[in-house]
Amino acid sequence: MINWLRTAPPTEVRDTYRLLADLTATGELAAPVEATYELKDYKQAVEHAAATGRSGKILFRLGGA
């Protein structure tokens, strides 16, 4: 992926990101979230992220929400 980003024309990168955004907005593309942690719980979050057999992403909640 990084090689493509470095070598692709800017218009192709822009169009690809637009397509991904559209697919996400319509629900055709999704990234399941398994857990969300407060930043203060980063150790637990990192341990969870390193665990095998996860079914989704591990995210941090920012802004106290």
Side-chain angles (χ1 to χ4, degrees), residues 36-42 59-65:
T36 305
Y37 291 89
E38 297 288 336
L39 196 53
K40 66 180 176 60
D41 299 323
Y42 71 92
L59 303 178
F60 285 109
R61 184 179 312 111
L62 302 175

Side-chain angles (χ1 to χ4, degrees), residues 15-29:
D15 292 345
T16 300
Y17 277 122
R18 279 190 184 151
L19 174 61
L20 292 171
D22 290 345
L23 291 171
T24 302
T26 62
E28 293 178 66
L29 181 64

Side-chain angles (χ1 to χ4, degrees), residues 1-22:
M1 178 77 178
I2 193 70
N3 289 332
W4 175 78
L5 282 171
R6 288 180 180 153
T7 60
T11 54
E12 184 178 343
V13 174
R14 182 198 65 224
D15 292 345
T16 300
Y17 277 122
R18 279 190 184 151
L19 174 61
L20 292 171
D22 290 345

